[in-house]
Amino acid sequence: MFIRLSKDQQEMILADIQQFFYNQRDEDISEFEAERMLDFIKEHIAPYIYNAALSDAKYVVERQYASIEEELEALEQPIKIK
């Protein structure tokens, strides 16, 4: 999965990964190692998160559509049959 990050975003993520390893494992990792971790996450984990986000967005859109449909039905005028 191709994920585009700005240079600033990537630098912040890499720093977060390095900080995570330091805090959780008491391990200093290089920027190169952090980049490898980020590549792994983007390739193997991000697609699951992306798909979950799409599913959430689909749910929201479907709820909004249902609400609009109900509002439109409420606007219908009754037709008198003679």
Side-chain angles (χ1 to χ4, degrees), residues 62-78:
E62 286 172 349
R63 285 184 43 216
Q64 288 177 339
Y65 176 75
S67 175
I68 291 170
E69 192 173 35
E70 289 172 6
E71 289 179 28
L72 289 173
E73 287 174 3
L75 294 174
E76 286 183 358
Q77 297 292 317

Side-chain angles (χ1 to χ4, degrees), residues 75-82:
L75 294 174
E76 286 183 358
Q77 297 292 317
I79 298 176
K80 296 179 184 177
I81 300 177
K82 296 180 181 182

Side-chain angles (χ1 to χ4, degrees), residues 13-53:
I13 292 169
L14 294 176
D16 286 344
I17 291 170
Q18 289 174 302
Q19 191 65 44
F20 173 82
F21 271 82
Y22 182 77
N23 291 341
Q24 298 297 316
R25 301 178 54 151
D26 200 26
E27 184 179 345
D28 284 320
I29 65 170
S30 69
E31 187 172 325
F32 177 77
E33 291 169 315
E35 286 177 7
R36 299 296 67 82
M37 177 60 68
L38 179 56
D39 290 342
F40 173 82
I41 291 168
K42 287 176 10 181
E43 184 177 342
H44 296 283
I45 298 170
Y48 291 102
I49 296 168
Y50 178 83
N51 289 343

